[in-house]
Amino acid sequence: MGRKKKKVTESPEDPLNISQSVESVINHLSPSNKETIMVTLHGATNLPACKDGSEPWPYVVVKTTSEEVKNQNSKAVTSVPAEPTKAPTWGDTVEVEIQAEGAGQEDVVLKVVDNKKKEELLSYQIPIKYLRVFHPYHLELVMPNQSEKANEATAKTKLYATVVRKGSFIPCYDGCNYTALEVFLRRVNEPLVNNPSPMVVIARVVPNYKEFKMNQDPVSLGLPITPLSFPIPSMTNFDVPPVSQNGCPQLSKPGGPPELPLWNQSFLFQGRDGATNFSEDTALVLEYYPSSAMKGGESWTLSKPLGISVLPLKSRLYRKMLTGKGLNGLHVERLPITDTKLKTINGEAPMVDLSFQLLSSEAYMTATG
């Protein structure tokens, strides 16, 4: 899984095509009898130079080991940065499909490729059997850089990606009345006057918001990054802990333009993670970050939100859903963004528009805008 010499035949994708094919409407389920591996490539640091010593112009090809063995071209390809760089930012989401019965024997392969010469710079393999279905893994893939001294911090190349293994149905778990809670985040309601860049959102459902807020520190905010050391990652790195007080954070695509961010993004929170246990303490928490925070630097982190929205998921809200239109969902038009310096054109703190629904069956349709 180290550096290869063979040429790569896949070419980078147009960013607009990637956005339209995957990110605009995310379907949380794979087709029947199949599994889908969804990979969001955030960025990388300290990529190796090309063989001739030149700066790489990198993109990523995602494929399965079956496609690799059969020399099949993959359609899961990111775009390229505007110019050559060793620290690219992509923000692209791509998918590969596999037959469900063969998932245990497959790996998902992430290849970093130079666009100029179609030269493979790095390759990472992740056994699909290690991935818990529907759990979002926010990964830091670490590979020793052969061109540097092994004992230096700069000797490690790091690729940042979120990987989700999706099945064709959501399993029911004992003790859960519903399989999942789907949250659909639409937009900021009023134009902003002091927001310099598109925003990304980290969404989570926490079992006890008071405890979450009281114990809030840099570790609980942002994304929990799981480091994986290659060429052989440990299976224990993929273990998912029991319900965490920090919830199970998920990351949105960037919402723009800066003056009026629009996401139209769906998040799926599992009943097994406590997301459907409406109580006096449970809450949906949205953290807003500038997308520029994901660019450059030695690590890919989000630690200082521009603001936070909190929607208590109390039992009376649950009853309201049941006495309304069944499980077709509730629409919250004006959820405030608090703890923020952001202002609208009216000089007020901004608000966001979202809806959510409980999912009680094992098959369902994704919410639409």
Side-chain angles (χ1 to χ4, degrees), residues 16 30-31 46 49 71 77 145 168 191 205 234 242 281 333 337 357 359:
L16 184 61
S30 64
N46 198 42
N71 286 323
V77 186
N145 190 334
S168 58
V205 174
S234 168
D281 303 316
E333 293 185 357
I337 298 179
Q357 63 178 341
L359 306 171

Side-chain angles (χ1 to χ4, degrees), residues 311-323:
L311 178 66
L313 299 178
K314 297 188 176 183
S315 50
R316 60 185 174 86
L317 191 64
Y318 168 71
R319 291 194 297 271
K320 185 176 180 181
M321 293 181 75
L322 296 187
T323 55

Side-chain angles (χ1 to χ4, degrees), residues 206-222:
V206 295
N208 190 315
Y209 179 67
K210 288 181 181 177
E211 283 187 15
F212 173 75
K213 188 174 183 180
M214 190 167 57
N215 299 326
Q216 216 169 69
D217 55 40
V219 175
S220 62
L221 287 174

Side-chain angles (χ1 to χ4, degrees), residues 285-349:
V285 181
L286 305 174
E287 303 160 26
Y288 306 88
Y289 296 87
S291 60
S292 57
M294 299 190 297
K295 297 180 180 179
E298 279 303 307
S299 63
W300 189 86
T301 55
L302 295 167
S303 57
K304 294 182 179 179
L306 296 169
I308 295 176
S309 293
V310 179
L311 178 66
L313 299 178
K314 297 188 176 183
S315 50
R316 60 185 174 86
L317 191 64
Y318 168 71
R319 291 194 297 271
K320 185 176 180 181
M321 293 181 75
L322 296 187
T323 55
K325 296 181 179 179
L327 297 177
N328 291 333
L330 284 179
H331 186 190
V332 179
E333 293 185 357
R334 300 176 64 81
L335 181 66
I337 298 179
T338 61
D339 300 325
T340 184
K341 294 180 180 178
L342 294 173
K343 294 291 183 184
T344 68
I345 54 175
N346 298 322
E348 300 171 347

Side-chain angles (χ1 to χ4, degrees), residues 70-81:
K70 297 174 184 175
N71 286 323
Q72 293 177 336
N73 274 8
S74 172
K75 295 180 180 178
V77 186
T78 71
S79 58
V80 290

Side-chain angles (χ1 to χ4, degrees), residues 18 28 35 57 59 71 75 89 101 115-116 146 155 170 205 219 222 229 246 260 273 276 305 329 338 341:
I18 298 173
H28 295 293
E35 289 192 4
W57 195 12
Y59 63 98
N71 286 323
K75 295 180 180 178
T89 299
E101 67 268 18
N115 188 38
K116 298 190 295 278
Q146 303 301 321
I170 304 173
V205 174
V219 175
S229 295
N246 295 331
L260 196 61
D273 297 323
T276 60
T338 61
K341 294 180 180 178

Side-chain angles (χ1 to χ4, degrees), residues 142-361:
V142 183
M143 182 82 77
N145 190 334
Q146 303 301 321
S147 65
E148 304 284 350
K149 295 178 183 177
N151 61 348
E152 292 182 5
T154 56
K156 295 185 184 299
T157 294
K158 296 179 180 180
L159 179 70
Y160 295 92
T162 295
V163 179
V164 182
R165 175 186 179 183
K166 299 191 291 189
S168 58
F169 66 94
I170 304 173
C172 290
Y173 287 83
D174 290 341
C176 296
N177 293 327
Y178 298 93
T179 56
L181 175 72
E182 185 177 31
V183 177
F184 192 81
L185 177 63
R186 288 180 169 80
R187 63 183 181 273
V188 172
N189 286 343
E190 301 288 339
L192 302 172
V193 294
N194 60 343
N195 182 40
S197 70
M199 282 195 283
V200 294
V201 179
I202 293 177
R204 69 181 85 212
V205 174
V206 295
N208 190 315
Y209 179 67
K210 288 181 181 177
E211 283 187 15
F212 173 75
K213 188 174 183 180
M214 190 167 57
N215 299 326
Q216 216 169 69
D217 55 40
V219 175
S220 62
L221 287 174
L223 288 177
I225 301 294
T226 301
L228 295 181
S229 295
F230 285 81
I232 305 175
S234 168
M235 183 174 67
T236 58
N237 289 127
F238 297 90
D239 290 346
V240 178
V243 177
S244 164
Q245 74 167 27
N246 295 331
C248 188
Q250 299 180 37
L251 179 68
S252 79
K253 63 185 179 183
E259 61 272 15
L260 196 61
L262 171 71
W263 293 281
N264 277 345
Q265 175 116 11
S266 175
F267 302 96
L268 187 73
F269 298 99
Q270 300 288 297
R272 69 182 177 204
D273 297 323
T276 60
N277 296 338
F278 283 60
S279 72
E280 297 308 298
D281 303 316
T282 311
L284 169 70
V285 181
L286 305 174
E287 303 160 26
Y288 306 88
Y289 296 87
S291 60
S292 57
M294 299 190 297
K295 297 180 180 179
E298 279 303 307
S299 63
W300 189 86
T301 55
L302 295 167
S303 57
K304 294 182 179 179
L306 296 169
I308 295 176
S309 293
V310 179
L311 178 66
L313 299 178
K314 297 188 176 183
S315 50
R316 60 185 174 86
L317 191 64
Y318 168 71
R319 291 194 297 271
K320 185 176 180 181
M321 293 181 75
L322 296 187
T323 55
K325 296 181 179 179
L327 297 177
N328 291 333
L330 284 179
H331 186 190
V332 179
E333 293 185 357
R334 300 176 64 81
L335 181 66
I337 298 179
T338 61
D339 300 325
T340 184
K341 294 180 180 178
L342 294 173
K343 294 291 183 184
T344 68
I345 54 175
N346 298 322
E348 300 171 347
M351 299 185 180
V352 293
D353 182 340
L354 58 86
S355 60
F356 55 99
Q357 63 178 341
L358 280 167
L359 306 171
S360 59
S361 64

